[in-house]
Amino acid sequence: MTDSTRILIVDDDPLSLVAFGAMLEKHFPVDTANGPAQALERLEAHPPYAVVISDMYMPGMDGIDFLAEAGRLSPSTVKIMLTGHADLETAMAAVNKGHVFGFFSKTCQPQALVTAVRKAVAEHHKHGARPGRPFSKGKLLTREEFDFLTSQ
């Protein structure tokens, strides 16, 4: 694992940070940030991260606004939204404003998230050689994402 595969997990819930950090550190170098303010400091101080995974609902700044700001600070970083409560409107805002690569529920299967992060790292490497180049607005929702959002 090299620094070019580093990921940053952002959540205001310390238990979520520990759980997702433990799950993903088996596959990637992982940093965590307790909330968006700390995450933005890390993005400025330790660039670049290949992937940033953010919770949606956090005090001070929601995940969509945080990911939009993260994209301005680090254009080659791929962004993933991870949330416990979502609806179709939230997913659309995450894609359109936050330019997320993936949108997952916190109850998703661990292997699905690991696979998504691997794809996101590959996307980072594909575009990372061209700093400043923006990513597309995202991808279509997976079946799991669609089922999660439409079952609410």
Side-chain angles (χ1 to χ4, degrees):
M1 291 183 285
T2 66
D3 273 355
S4 67
T5 62
R6 275 186 328 138
I7 64 170
L8 177 63
I9 303 170
V10 184
D11 201 314
D12 63 314
D13 176 17
L15 294 177
S16 290
L17 289 175
V18 169
F20 287 106
M23 175 197 326
L24 293 170
E25 71 185 5
K26 297 172 186 171
H27 309 277
F28 313 96
V30 173
D31 288 337
T32 60
N34 189 3
Q38 188 179 64
L40 292 172
E41 289 172 9
R42 295 231 167 113
L43 282 166
E44 289 185 77
H46 306 289
Y49 284 93
V51 179
V52 173
I53 301 170
S54 177
D55 185 26
M56 174 58 200
Y57 298 104
M58 298 179 287
M61 180 184 287
D62 69 25
I64 294 169
D65 289 335
F66 162 71
L67 290 174
E69 182 62 23
R72 283 188 282 282
L73 289 173
S74 183
S76 68
T77 298
V78 179
K79 298 166 294 291
I80 293 175
M81 178 71 69
L82 187 66
T83 187
H85 308 284
D87 54 37
L88 190 54
E89 188 174 316
T90 301
M92 289 173 25
V95 170
N96 293 329
K97 185 176 179 187
H99 304 282
V100 298
F101 182 78
F103 189 95
F104 290 87
S105 71
K106 285 188 174 181
T107 60
C108 70
Q109 292 295 317
Q111 190 55 45
L113 185 59
V114 169
T115 298
V117 173
R118 282 192 177 119
K119 289 177 182 177
V121 167
E123 186 75 5
H124 169 75
H125 289 160
K126 185 166 94 177
H127 293 286
R130 294 172 270 171
R133 178 188 165 137
F135 286 99
S136 64
K137 294 213 181 225
K139 62 172 186 63
L140 296 176
L141 297 176
T142 65
R143 170 51 64 189
E144 179 194 59
E145 294 163 348
F146 179 80
D147 290 345
F148 172 75
L149 292 170
T150 57
S151 69
Q152 302 299 310

